[in-house]
Amino acid sequence: MKKSLRKTDPEIYELIEAEAQRRRVGLEMIPSENHTSPAVLEVLGSILTDKYSEGYPGKRYYAGNEFIDKVENLARERAKKAFGVPHANVQPYSGSPANFAVYLATMKPGDVVMGQDLPDGGHLTHGWKFNISGTLYERAPYHVTKEGIIDFEEVRVLAKEKKPKLIWCGATAYPREFPFEEFAKIADEVGAYFAADIAHIAGLVIAGAHKSPVPYADIITTTTHKTLRGPRGALIMVTQKGLDKDPELAEKIDKAVFPFGVQGGPHNHQTAAIAVALKEAMTPEFKEYGKQVVKNAKALGESLKEQGLRLVSGGTDNHMLLADLTPFGKGTGVFAQDALDAAGITVNKNTIPKDPSSPFYPSGIRLGTPAITTRGMKEKEMKIIGKWIAEIIQEVKHCQLPETKEERIVSLKQFKKDIAGNKRLKEIKGQVAELCSRFPLPY
Ligand code: DSN
């Protein structure tokens, strides 16, 4: 007999309810987050989670995979169709193992990898010095200019000098369109594989709201839970260009995911949910959604600028904005993040180009529109939200980051106490909740 979670584990039930309530009355504006559909959630909670199926469709190490094979094949076919590629691996547990599989498929330890440096908006797995990608392989990071645009002069010089085996284009904090074509030219010139990591923008690519890397990249990786609006998970795709460069590339990628790489049994509930999300992403409604995400980000940017905030690169081409808070003092991102959180607006502190502070106490915040667009908000709401954000930042602008670690701990503790009692933040929190009540969550 079925028993509800509420009865079997009320503690976990209550925590899920509390989290749902936090989301109902708040604005989720971390650009890598979204609200999935009820169909995706239903599949994630399905019995598919119970099955072991190491291997690939038709070539499994365990019996009983007749239906799992069909699920995985559907997911693969939908990924191929949605992006227009000849090969897709749908098994990576998430973005980091997907990217590691790309290294295993294309590089030997000691080979050179080029990627956007982490403090410049790049990803940990693109060769950061404290990640395996920057220790097992020789890192040759490129940077952004002080205006926040990829420094192509540097990319060119570095590629010719270092002769990388792999070049990444893609980032976690880059509000401008990615120049895939230029990267492809350089990669071809120096004989490198070119991998586009489109984790942040995959949904925009399918919706036609961002240029596709398919004609230019050899390999494309993406997570499936950001603008794509699916479950946590990832895809690795090989393009026709990649297959022309290396006819064995698809096979190398599959082997690098399993059995050579870091994965074991695929998460079949996740694979099925990816298939559902991809089906949703190929609808006309999703196209509209992707375009609205970008329109909303632009409108939010304009609103923030009208209120006097400085944006890295002056604005956005995608779903994301990076606010430069150095005019309020270095390392003040944490104060802005926590004050916004207290008012029901969730963003994350983030480094800005040439950040005068550190990644743990950066001088910016990163904001995005994927989740609030899923709720149906449009330009009109972005204008209001922009005003709230700017006002909240003004409210805490007197807060400065102390120099020593000990002083910082004391100061942040006091800051949290102060904002919990701040009258204006409480008022805005009420207004945020009222706005949210008119835009219900999809689940
Ligand atoms: N953590 C993700 C993000 O927020 O962009 C990247 O892995």
Side-chain angles (χ1 to χ4, degrees):
M1 201 174 97
K2 276 189 195 168
K3 272 198 187 164
S4 71
L5 178 67
R6 190 181 200 155
K7 289 209 178 102
T8 55
D9 194 336
E11 281 165 291
I12 288 291
Y13 174 84
E14 291 303 336
L15 288 172
I16 294 174
E17 267 310 295
E19 170 65 4
Q21 181 58 13
R22 186 190 71 80
R23 291 188 205 173
R24 266 180 222 120
V25 298
L27 297 164
E28 296 304 303
M29 295 187 68
I30 291 176
S32 47
E33 294 181 5
N34 213 329
H35 302 297
T36 47
S37 71
V40 166
L41 289 179
E42 188 181 334
V43 178
L44 278 176
S46 72
I47 54 137
L48 296 179
T49 197
D50 295 343
K51 188 77 191 103
Y52 257 123
S53 53
E54 285 98 328
Y56 289 100
K59 287 174 278 175
R60 304 284 187 186
Y61 288 82
Y62 288 65
N65 277 302
E66 180 188 352
F67 302 110
I68 297 296
D69 278 4
K70 289 186 175 158
V71 166
E72 188 167 337
N73 277 333
L74 256 181
R76 280 170 158 182
E77 289 310 311
R78 288 179 187 171
K80 281 155 65 177
K81 189 169 169 202
F83 290 96
V85 291
H87 182 78
N89 187 306
V90 297
Q91 290 193 8
Y93 296 153
S94 204
S96 298
N99 287 352
F100 193 51
V102 172
Y103 288 94
L104 296 177
T106 59
M107 312 257 287
K108 294 219 164 28
D111 284 347
V112 177
V113 56
M114 272 178 67
Q116 194 167 324
D117 213 7
L118 183 81
D120 289 51
H123 195 256
L124 204 66
T125 59
H126 296 181
W128 178 234
K129 57 188 169 190
F130 301 127
N131 181 265
I132 192 159
S133 61
T135 45
L136 200 54
Y137 308 100
E138 192 190 322
R139 62 191 298 265
Y142 58 86
H143 302 88
V144 295
T145 62
K146 66 180 189 319
E147 291 78 25
I149 308 294
I150 292 168
D151 183 348
F152 240 85
E153 225 5 77
E154 187 196 20
V155 173
R156 212 167 278 122
V157 170
L158 211 55
K160 288 195 175 150
E161 185 193 321
K162 299 281 186 177
K163 299 270 180 290
K165 205 62 182 286
L166 177 68
I167 301 180
W168 287 102
C169 169
T172 47
Y174 191 67
R176 293 299 177 185
E177 186 154 275
F178 290 108
F180 297 129
E181 197 168 353
E182 285 87 335
F183 271 103
K185 271 188 209 143
I186 293 177
D188 289 343
E189 238 179 273
V190 300
Y193 286 106
F194 171 34
D197 179 344
I198 60 167
H200 266 268
I201 54 162
L204 306 184
V205 168
I206 295 179
H210 188 292
K211 187 194 285 176
S212 167
V214 170
Y216 312 110
D218 305 313
I219 301 163
I220 299 170
T221 64
T222 181
T223 49
T224 46
H225 48 270
K226 298 186 174 89
T227 51
L228 186 49
R229 214 163 60 182
R232 287 190 172 273
L235 308 170
I236 309 177
M237 295 171 278
V238 179
T239 63
Q240 192 53 52
K241 183 164 187 270
L243 288 180
D244 292 343
K245 186 178 270 181
D246 177 356
E248 288 170 15
L249 193 53
E251 220 181 321
K252 288 181 184 169
I253 290 285
D254 285 353
K255 279 193 184 144
V257 173
F258 180 87
F260 186 63
V262 294
Q263 298 210 166
H267 295 175
N268 297 306
H269 59 308
Q270 190 180 24
T271 305
I274 290 173
V276 172
L278 286 166
K279 185 171 179 181
E280 290 174 355
M282 285 188 275
T283 58
E285 293 77 27
F286 192 87
K287 259 197 169 48
E288 276 312 301
Y289 162 71
K291 293 195 171 122
Q292 190 63 47
V293 167
V294 178
K295 282 189 211 162
N296 281 354
K298 286 183 192 287
L300 180 65
E302 286 311 311
S303 174
L304 293 172
K305 282 197 284 184
E306 274 164 27
Q307 305 302 316
L309 284 189
R310 192 193 281 175
L311 298 179
V312 170
S313 85
T316 183
D317 297 328
N318 55 32
H319 60 299
M320 176 194 298
L321 295 146
L322 260 182
D324 170 1
L325 304 178
T326 48
F328 304 107
K330 65 175 186 177
T332 49
V334 62
F335 298 115
Q337 171 191 276
D338 289 356
L340 287 161
D341 197 24
I345 302 176
T346 316
V347 306
N348 69 277
K349 60 184 161 101
N350 215 96
T351 49
I352 52 159
K354 322 284 174 219
D355 202 310
S357 191
S358 67
F360 201 72
Y361 292 107
S363 307
I365 50 166
R366 190 181 66 148
L367 315 129
T369 54
I372 55 177
T373 307
T374 292
R375 295 179 87 146
M377 294 183 193
K378 296 230 163 88
E379 288 91 328
K380 190 170 142 224
E381 286 73 40
M382 299 306 124
K383 207 169 167 64
I384 302 166
I385 295 169
K387 276 191 185 155
W388 285 332
I389 291 173
E391 194 187 333
I392 292 164
I393 291 171
Q394 288 290 340
E395 188 73 20
V396 295
K397 71 174 180 201
H398 58 280
C399 302
Q400 295 299 314
L401 192 69
E403 283 302 323
T404 68
K405 198 174 154 194
E406 293 73 23
E407 284 173 322
R408 285 177 182 180
I409 293 167
V410 175
S411 153
L412 282 166
K413 222 169 156 185
Q414 184 57 43
F415 174 72
K416 288 213 177 190
K417 266 193 204 148
D418 293 347
I419 51 173
N422 184 302
K423 206 166 141 261
R424 185 61 190 133
L425 294 188
K426 274 194 189 137
E427 277 165 14
I428 297 179
K429 187 173 180 153
Q431 291 162 352
V432 166
E434 193 283 319
L435 175 74
C436 289
S437 69
R438 289 186 278 123
F439 296 92
L441 295 171
Y443 35 79

